[in-house]
Amino acid sequence: MDQTAPEILLQVNNVEVIYDHVILVLKGVSLDLPKGRIVALLGANGAGKTTTLKAISNLLHAERGEVTKGAISYRGERVDCLSPNALVKRGVIQVMEGRHCFGHLTIEENLLTGAYTRGDGGRAVKRDLEMVYDYFPRLRERRDSQAGYTSGGEQQMCAIGRALMARPSTILLDEPSMGLAPQLVEEIFEIVSQLNQKEYVSFLLAEQNTNIALRYAHYGYILENGRVVMEGSAETLSSNEDVKEFYLGLSAAGRKSYRDVKHYKRRKRWLA
Amino acid sequence: MEGFLSDIFIAPFVSMWEYPVFLVEVLVGGLLVGVMYSLVALGFVLIFKASGVFNFAQGAMVLFAALFFAGFLEAGMPVWLALGASAVVMVALAIVTERVVLRPLVNQPPIVLFMATIGLTFFLDGFGQMIWGSDIKVIDIGIPKEPLEIHGVLINSFDIVAGVTAGLLVAGLALFFHYTKIGRALRAVADDHQAALSVGIPLQSIWVIVWSVAGLVALVAGIMWGSSLGVQFSLALVALKALPVLILGGFTSIPGAIVGGLIIGASEKIGEVYWGPALGGAIEDWHAYMIAMVFLLFRPQGLFGEKIIERV
């Protein structure tokens, strides 16, 4: 990794999100996504990872969530009031948690819907379709099957491929490992890493699987209760004692047994 | 009692056998009426597919479109201009509906949207008649009405025109849905509107498009029904016949709407002609609903309705 500081693509500054006018979910989250990097958002269930991504892509609106404070900017432009459509046109697209493929459309049709916002003609879209098939050869095999009948892994690939068809510069990838076999998870992360290196796509990645996320990401943020509690480069985080204990299940003495987990006091102090 | 049983189980089949030409005439007449039901049902399917809204106002839209078309004709416009002008009215209606009715109700439960379309029904009924009056209007765009004789079978030539029009419309819609970018987006929205939003498909414009298309379908249906029955309030009630058609064909299937319409049309004509006398007549009025009920028991998603894909 080069040491010169790259341009910051996406900047989230002290963002607060309230659902349904009453439930405070994000309590001031700030993060940066530098160009060409993979940044991981880590944390347990309900920490606010998905909400952060949706606040950026502006899908919050459809679920009665609202950014009430703070600012989100992309390439220096404020984007917190843009529609998802406008954001996709600017190069930011989200791959939602749980895949969300269009079940009754074929895999190929799913991929083509990803190109909806593009105006650069059929030939460019065709070329990118081939590119997606090259990254995900399984999708080429299943191109004519209805997405609803494909396996979970294929659906995850379809969802990522569909996002790629928009020719994004940034993909907000939510929980790609969900419900998949470890081997498949590895395969998908491998492809993500390739896309990052070869297609220069930057990734903001929300993931519960801290272990694998820190292996592929350059930088990470740890969220708890709607706040960033720790951040650092992937190496720093994975060598941090607290992260090791709480997120990787390791302790100084090696893999920890659940029998002697008595860390609640330390954990509490850390959260305060 | 014996006479009654024979009237139901024997006599109809005997007369079908003895006068096959008459049977064919009844059947074809029924099928062509069915096509007209299909036209109305199509509008429902389009909107239901793309937005999950059961648009109760589809019947009122048929009446509304027919009123405008007839009104424009009366005002002395040539047919093509009246057609264009009413198409513009229907598109404008779609835009206004999206703005005023759908957008504020986004994310509400389906029943709320359903109620809103009931409101829309009353509004359209009232507004159309406020502008054009409540007298019965006649639409005459020169569709021939003389009976034609084909191989000894008498067929109303108007029905044939209606059938061909509906066929073209359906073929056009099928192509549109399957092979265009917008059509694909419409189906994507129908499947998962959050995901559609996430890939940058703007829901609002999709709704406007789908309501416009439904409006244009309503216009065609309105012209056809208006030419055969005259444009009057009862036109909106024809739409109720679309409900059994939908149950039969499936709420999400365009071919289903067509086939459902044909089945309902043909079976109610045959029922009326052959079994009507024994049962005291006017079978046509309730026959369709009976079929729909039987279908609900055995195949609730309809003939061609989309099965919900569930991975196990």
Side-chain angles (χ1 to χ4, degrees):
Chain A
M1 205 191 310
D2 61 335
Q3 291 305 307
T4 51
E7 172 200 355
I8 302 293
L9 262 189
L10 176 73
Q11 193 163 37
V12 175
N13 202 347
N14 203 20
V15 160
E16 198 177 273
V17 167
I18 294 184
Y19 275 108
D20 253 341
H21 301 292
V22 285
I23 310 159
L24 181 62
V25 189
L26 292 191
K27 304 162 184 166
V29 167
S30 301
L31 55 89
D32 291 339
L33 175 63
K35 194 172 180 177
R37 295 291 165 82
I38 301 178
V39 170
L41 267 181
L42 306 165
N45 270 340
K49 305 183 298 288
T50 298
T51 305
T52 308
L53 294 192
K54 285 191 172 165
I56 299 168
S57 63
N58 236 323
L59 292 175
L60 270 186
H61 238 58
E63 339 186 305
R64 309 195 203 185
E66 211 183 342
V67 175
T68 47
K69 244 191 219 164
I72 301 169
S73 49
Y74 189 71
R75 296 182 196 276
E77 178 198 8
R78 280 288 291 264
V79 292
D80 17 349
C81 296
L82 292 181
S83 66
N85 166 265
L87 263 166
V88 172
K89 282 185 182 156
R90 280 168 178 72
V92 186
I93 192 164
Q94 176 161 10
V95 177
M96 289 200 291
E97 182 180 3
R99 279 88 77 165
H100 283 273
C101 292
F102 303 118
H104 293 99
L105 272 61
T106 64
I107 291 284
E108 181 149 318
E109 285 173 332
N110 263 279
L111 296 178
L112 288 173
T113 53
Y116 184 84
T117 50
R118 284 171 58 166
D120 52 357
R123 192 175 298 173
V125 171
K126 257 240 159 73
R127 200 173 51 231
D128 287 345
L129 193 63
E130 284 309 311
M131 172 198 76
V132 170
Y133 283 143
D134 287 342
Y135 278 102
F136 301 100
R138 283 180 194 225
L139 294 184
R140 182 177 277 130
E141 285 164 34
R142 308 292 316 259
R143 65 203 294 174
D144 294 321
S145 349
Q146 283 194 325
Y149 290 115
T150 58
S151 74
E154 284 157 353
Q155 288 186 9
Q156 185 63 60
M157 293 175 184
C158 175
I160 297 176
R162 186 175 66 189
L164 276 178
M165 289 299 292
R167 269 283 167 203
S169 47
T170 300
I171 294 183
L172 311 171
L173 185 53
D174 197 352
E175 204 84 32
S177 73
M178 195 177 92
L180 300 182
Q183 207 180 354
L184 256 172
V185 174
E186 202 75 42
E187 191 181 330
I188 282 171
F189 270 86
E190 199 54 56
I191 295 170
V192 165
S193 167
Q194 278 180 33
L195 288 171
N196 174 248
Q197 284 158 22
K198 294 190 197 150
E199 310 293 329
Y200 312 109
V201 182
S202 315
F203 282 87
L204 183 58
L205 167 77
E207 190 49 80
Q208 283 195 42
N209 188 334
T210 311
N211 182 19
I212 193 163
L214 284 180
R215 270 199 286 123
Y216 285 95
H218 303 113
Y219 199 84
Y221 291 87
I222 296 183
L223 256 69
E224 281 196 22
N225 282 322
R227 284 197 183 89
V228 174
V229 291
M230 189 183 260
E231 63 173 286
S233 70
E235 300 89 65
T236 325
L237 285 182
S238 37
S239 58
N240 179 291
E241 288 305 318
D242 286 329
V243 175
K244 269 188 183 169
E245 178 161 355
F246 300 135
Y247 290 98
L248 300 171
L250 302 167
S251 72
R255 196 163 261 290
K256 203 166 168 136
S257 155
Y258 279 97
R259 209 172 304 153
D260 41 58
V261 176
K262 275 192 187 158
H263 55 243
Y264 60 95
K265 251 191 179 154
R266 198 162 131 215
R267 180 172 184 136
K268 238 185 203 163
R269 195 170 53 237
W270 188 36
L271 282 178
Chain B
M1 189 60 200
E2 230 167 80
F4 179 70
L5 286 180
S6 110
D7 278 348
I8 295 230
F9 292 108
I10 299 168
F13 298 104
V14 171
S15 91
M16 281 182 204
W17 178 253
E18 280 174 0
Y19 306 101
V21 171
F22 182 60
L23 173 64
V24 172
E25 270 170 22
V26 172
L27 188 65
V28 171
L31 286 176
L32 291 167
V33 173
V35 165
M36 307 273 276
Y37 293 149
S38 305
L39 276 179
V40 182
L42 255 183
F44 279 100
V45 170
L46 286 173
I47 291 181
F48 188 75
K49 242 176 115 77
S51 54
V53 177
F54 183 81
N55 178 25
F56 193 76
Q58 189 65 32
M61 278 163 69
V62 171
L63 173 65
F64 191 74
L67 272 174
F68 270 83
F69 183 72
F72 287 144
L73 280 184
E74 263 177 22
M77 284 188 191
V79 173
W80 60 268
L81 188 60
L83 196 62
S86 354
V88 169
V89 169
M90 294 317 283
V91 172
L93 177 68
I95 295 171
V96 172
T97 308
E98 192 275 322
R99 275 264 146 173
V100 181
V101 183
L102 299 177
R103 200 178 291 186
L105 292 179
V106 114
N107 287 330
Q108 300 292 330
I111 188 73
V112 171
L113 284 155
F114 174 65
M115 298 297 275
T117 65
I118 293 183
L120 188 63
T121 308
F122 287 109
F123 170 76
L124 290 180
D125 283 348
F127 186 61
Q129 296 187 43
M130 198 177 83
I131 296 181
W132 300 109
S134 51
D135 302 330
I136 298 182
K137 290 189 168 44
V138 182
I139 292 182
D140 185 7
I141 52 173
I143 301 176
K145 291 197 171 158
E146 315 76 49
L148 283 176
E149 205 182 314
I150 303 169
H151 295 298
V153 179
L154 280 179
I155 298 173
N156 196 334
S157 52
F158 173 81
D159 288 344
I160 292 180
V161 173
V164 171
T165 311
L168 287 177
L169 192 67
V170 170
L173 284 174
L175 291 176
F176 170 67
F177 262 79
H178 271 270
Y179 296 106
T180 66
K181 182 171 159 183
I182 305 249
R184 202 160 46 225
L186 287 172
R187 285 186 298 141
V189 172
D191 256 14
D192 187 334
H193 71 253
Q194 263 225 318
L197 208 56
S198 84
V199 295
I201 296 173
L203 290 187
Q204 271 114 5
S205 32
I206 290 293
W207 284 335
V208 169
I209 292 170
V210 88
W211 279 73
S212 303
V213 175
L216 297 179
V217 171
L219 175 61
V220 175
I223 292 172
M224 289 300 163
W225 278 105
S227 320
S228 80
L229 299 179
V231 179
Q232 53 183 319
F233 182 70
S234 66
L235 214 54
L237 301 180
V238 169
L240 289 180
K241 272 282 167 63
L243 291 179
V245 171
L246 288 171
I247 291 171
L248 204 68
F251 278 85
T252 49
S253 164
I254 291 178
I258 306 304
V259 176
L262 293 178
I263 294 177
I264 297 278
S267 68
E268 76 178 12
K269 271 284 174 298
I270 288 182
E272 176 72 46
V273 169
Y274 291 98
W275 281 273
L279 296 174
I283 290 190
E284 245 176 308
D285 293 334
W286 51 262
H287 174 88
Y289 299 97
M290 282 296 294
I291 296 187
M293 285 214 344
V294 173
F295 250 80
L296 278 179
L297 279 178
F298 295 105
R299 204 179 155 83
Q301 79 267 38
L303 280 175
F304 296 92
E306 270 169 0
K307 270 194 282 179
I308 295 161
I309 299 181
E310 233 173 315
R311 295 182 53 239
V312 193

